[in-house]
Amino acid sequence: MESEEPTPSAAATPTAASSNRTQVIWVSVALFVLTFVAYWFLGPQETTYGFQVSQANNIIHGHLDMTEEYTKNLGVLERVLYDGEGFCLPSNNNRGYDQIENPRITDDCKTYMQHSLGPALIQIPGVLIWGLDLNQTLVSVVFASMTAVVVYLIARKFSDHLLTQLAMTVLVMFGTVLFWVGSNGGVWFFAHTTAVFFVFCCIYATVVMRNPLAAGVCVGAAFMCRPTELMVGIFPVVALSDLWLQKAKPGEQNWQRIKPGPLIDFAIGLMPFILLTMIINYLRFDSPFETGYNYAEQIHQTHLQHVYSHGLLDLQYIKLHPRVVFDQMPLFQKNGPYVLPSWFGLAMWVTSPPLLYSFFVHAKQNRRLAIGGAVSIGLACAFMMTRAISRDLDWLSWWSDWDVPRSVYLAPFWAMIVLAIGLAVRAKDRLVLACWAAIIPIVLSNWIFAATGWSQFGYRYGLDFMPFLWLLTVLAVGKQVKWHHLALIGAAVIVNLWGVLWIYQFEPDHARGWTWVRF
C-alpha cells in the first residue's frame, strides 16, 4: 500500500507549535526585562526599611528576634516586643518609653519584626551570599518582573490575540499600584509584592495547570507573605470543584459525589506552610496562633490610641476603608504641580479604572443593563471627582458642600457587585463565582483591620484581591481587546506612572521647589 502524504495542516503542526513556543519565550523575556527596567530605573532603588533581609540574617545566625548586631536600621523597625509574659519594653533601649502608658521594662524583652516571615525566608539564599548588603528593593523588582511573566501566561489561556495578552499584562504591571509597591522594596510593600506573585501563581496553577497540589503550594506561599491571603485558597477549591465534586447520579447521596483526592492534594500543598507558620509563632510568642500583632508597639502607643480605639480588629473599622477604596481623590491646587497624590491613598477606580470591567462579565450580555450600570458608575465617579476638584480649588462651594451620603453615591458599585454575583450564579459560572468567593472574604478581613494602609499610593491592601478582579476583567474583555479597553488601560498606566514619578523621582529632591505628595 502506498503511504499517504501528510496533509499540509498536519505537516505544519510541529513547526507551528515550535514557533508558538518561541514566541512565548521571547515575549516572556521581553516582559521581564521591560518590567525590570521600568520598576528599577523609575523607582527609588533602595529602602531604609529592608527588614526582611535583616530578619533573614538573624535567622541565619540562629534566632528569630532582631538584634542590633545582625539588623540594619534597627532604630526605625516597626517593632513587636515580647518577653515570655506579654508586651514589654527592653531595658537596654529607651526608645519609645515616653509613648507607652505604664511601660513594663524587662531585661528579657526581645524585639521581633511585625510582619510575616515568608518574604524573609525567600531571601535567605541571597543573604547567605551578600549578607546585609543584599538590596531588598532589587529583590522586589525581580519578583515583580517574574509576576509579569506569570500574568502573561495566564492571559494566553483566555485569548490567542497577542495584543490582548499584552494589554492584560500591562494592566497589572503598569496600571495598578503594583507598579508603585513593587518598585519600593520596603518591608510593607515587599510583603505585598511577593504575595501578589504567589497569588498569580495560584491562578496559573488553577486555570492553566488545573493542579490542586500546585495551587495549594502557591496559596501557602502567599499566606506566609500576607496572612489575609489564606482566603485565596477558596478560589482553587471552587474553581476546581469539577475535579472533586461529581455530577449527581440517581439515588446517590450528596456526600457520595465527593472525590476527596483533589482536596487532599490541595491540603498537602497548603498544610506545610500553615504548620511552619504555627511553629514560628510558637517559637517566638509561645502560641501557634499568635502572629505578634497583639504585641506590636504601635497598638500600645498613647498617640495612636485613636487609631486602635476598638483594638486591632473590629467590625466598626469597616466604614473606614470604603473612604479610601472608592472616595479618596487626588489633591488639587492652583500652583504647581497642580495635581498631587495623597499619602492617605487613592480610590481604586482612579488608579485602575479597567478593573471596573470585572462587574460586567455577564452583564455585558444585556446591552441595556451594561449601559445602565456603566452610566450609573460613571456618574458616581464624576460626582466624587468634581466635588474634590471644587473643594480643593474653592470652586462652586455649593457643589463641594453638597452633603450626599456615601451610601447614595456608592450604591451603583454595590448594586453592580451584587448583580455580577447573581448573574454568575444563574449562569453557573464556576470561575467567576470562584473569584468573588475569594474577593469577598479577603476584603472583609482587610476592612475589619484598624488601619487603611498608612502612607501609600493608591490602596495597597487592594493588591490582596486585585489578581481576581483582574481575572474577572480578562473574562469581561473576552478574546480580543477593544478600543475602550485600551483607552482605560492607557489611563491606568498614566495614573500609576504619575504616582511613581511624583513620589520617587520628584519628591525626594523637591524638584522645582515644589511639594509633590502630601497628606
Side-chain angles (χ1 to χ4, degrees):
M1 180 181 294
E2 187 175 334
S3 62
E4 295 183 4
E5 291 293 326
T7 63
S9 59
T13 299
T15 304
S18 176
S19 175
N20 188 50
R21 283 195 298 270
T22 301
Q23 175 180 289
V24 171
I25 292 171
W26 279 109
V27 172
S28 298
V29 171
L31 286 170
F32 180 94
V33 172
L34 173 64
T35 303
F36 183 91
V37 169
Y39 277 48
W40 179 250
F41 288 102
L42 295 179
Q45 299 187 1
E46 60 182 359
T47 178
T48 303
Y49 307 101
F51 291 115
Q52 284 97 341
V53 166
S54 292
Q55 178 69 78
N57 194 45
N58 279 273
I59 291 172
I60 289 169
H61 288 89
H63 48 86
L64 293 168
D65 61 315
M66 308 282 276
T67 64
E68 186 75 42
E69 182 180 3
Y70 301 116
T71 304
K72 197 172 184 179
N73 300 323
L74 182 61
V76 294
L77 174 68
E78 193 174 26
R79 301 188 298 183
V80 168
L81 299 165
Y82 181 71
D83 65 351
E85 296 182 16
F87 176 75
C88 56
L89 288 176
S91 58
N92 62 348
N93 183 341
N94 62 4
R95 165 190 161 190
Y97 284 14
D98 58 337
Q99 298 175 348
I100 306 294
E101 187 175 349
N102 299 320
R104 191 173 64 86
I105 302 171
T106 70
D107 294 335
D108 298 325
C109 191
K110 292 184 177 181
T111 299
Y112 296 91
M113 187 178 70
Q114 180 170 303
H115 306 278
S116 299
L117 266 61
L121 299 177
I122 288 170
Q123 296 189 97
I124 286 178
V127 175
L128 283 171
I129 300 172
W130 291 286
L132 289 175
D133 290 332
L134 179 65
N135 187 327
Q136 186 165 294
T137 297
L138 179 61
V139 179
S140 178
V141 170
V142 169
F143 264 88
S145 303
M146 293 191 297
T147 302
V149 177
V150 179
V151 171
Y152 161 66
L153 294 177
I154 297 170
R156 290 186 67 251
K157 171 70 176 179
F158 298 95
S159 174
D160 295 328
H161 188 235
L162 181 59
L163 178 59
T164 301
Q165 298 165 2
L166 295 177
M168 293 297 99
T169 306
V170 166
L171 170 57
V172 172
M173 304 313 305
F174 302 102
T176 70
V177 297
L178 181 60
F179 191 0
W180 187 86
V181 168
S183 300
N184 187 289
V187 58
W188 314 273
F189 310 116
F190 182 58
H192 258 128
T193 302
T194 52
V196 168
F197 170 74
F198 288 118
V199 172
F200 273 113
C201 287
C202 171
I203 294 175
Y204 180 83
T206 301
V207 302
V208 181
M209 297 174 62
R210 290 185 56 78
N211 187 319
L213 177 63
V217 170
C218 296
V219 173
F223 162 68
M224 288 200 70
C225 297
R226 289 273 301 170
T228 50
E229 301 292 36
L230 183 61
M231 268 77 73
V232 168
I234 300 172
F235 172 76
V237 169
V238 175
L240 298 176
S241 59
D242 59 316
L243 298 183
W244 58 266
L245 189 63
Q246 295 178 325
K247 292 183 179 180
K249 298 177 182 179
E252 188 177 46
Q253 300 294 323
N254 284 334
W255 65 268
Q256 293 177 309
R257 298 171 56 198
I258 299 175
K259 295 173 60 179
L263 295 177
I264 292 173
D265 288 345
F266 175 75
I268 289 173
L270 173 61
M271 286 309 297
F273 296 91
I274 294 179
L275 292 174
L276 178 58
T277 299
M278 294 173 71
I279 291 170
I280 290 172
N281 290 341
Y282 182 81
L283 292 174
R284 292 191 297 172
F285 309 117
D286 301 313
S287 169
F289 306 107
E290 176 56 63
T291 63
Y293 269 90
N294 288 309
Y295 305 128
E297 183 177 24
Q298 61 190 27
I299 70 171
H300 292 86
Q301 293 174 329
T302 53
H303 71 285
L304 290 177
Q305 286 180 352
H306 68 285
V307 176
Y308 300 98
S309 56
H310 302 285
L312 195 64
L313 304 171
D314 194 276
L315 292 175
Q316 295 194 53
Y317 296 138
I318 289 179
K319 64 180 180 291
L320 303 176
H321 291 258
R323 297 176 184 175
V324 182
V325 176
F326 298 107
D327 207 8
Q328 184 66 49
M329 295 295 104
L331 302 173
F332 299 90
Q333 59 187 36
K334 295 179 181 179
N335 55 298
Y338 306 107
V339 185
L340 292 74
S342 168
W343 278 129
F344 284 119
L346 195 59
M348 289 185 69
W349 63 264
V350 175
T351 59
S352 305
L355 295 183
L356 291 173
Y357 285 114
S358 61
F359 301 160
F360 294 88
V361 177
H362 293 288
K364 68 178 184 179
Q365 308 302 328
N366 185 317
R367 183 175 176 81
R368 290 184 178 179
L369 188 61
I371 292 176
V375 169
S376 61
I377 288 178
L379 290 174
C381 295
F383 170 79
M384 288 182 276
M385 183 64 76
T386 55
R387 186 177 63 172
I389 294 173
S390 62
R391 180 190 61 231
D392 292 351
L393 299 181
D394 196 24
W395 294 345
L396 301 174
S397 59
W398 64 269
W399 178 257
S400 58
D401 295 337
W402 188 14
D403 187 18
V404 178
R406 183 174 282 107
S407 59
V408 173
Y409 59 79
L410 294 188
F413 293 93
W414 307 129
M416 288 306 300
I417 290 172
V418 171
L419 180 64
I421 297 172
L423 291 175
V425 171
R426 189 177 72 174
K428 298 181 180 179
D429 191 326
R430 190 171 58 248
L431 187 55
V432 172
L433 290 174
C435 289
W436 287 112
I439 291 169
I440 292 173
I442 293 173
V443 168
L444 290 177
S445 65
N446 279 327
W447 285 14
I448 63 174
F449 182 58
T452 58
W454 302 106
S455 299
Q456 60 186 339
F457 174 74
Y459 179 67
R460 67 182 178 91
Y461 293 165
L463 289 175
D464 290 338
F465 54 89
M466 176 274 290
F468 301 110
L469 288 178
W470 172 82
L471 183 55
L472 290 170
T473 300
V474 169
L475 295 172
V477 167
K479 295 292 185 181
Q480 189 163 328
V481 70
K482 298 180 174 59
W483 70 266
H484 53 90
H485 301 136
L486 293 174
L488 283 184
I489 291 171
V493 172
I494 291 172
V495 171
N496 285 277
L497 180 61
W498 164 68
V500 168
L501 291 177
W502 260 234
I503 296 173
Y504 292 144
Q505 296 299 315
F506 303 152
E507 174 60 18
D509 298 323
H510 291 286
R512 299 181 64 88
W514 294 341
T515 295
W516 294 86
V517 58
R518 59 180 172 84
F519 281 102

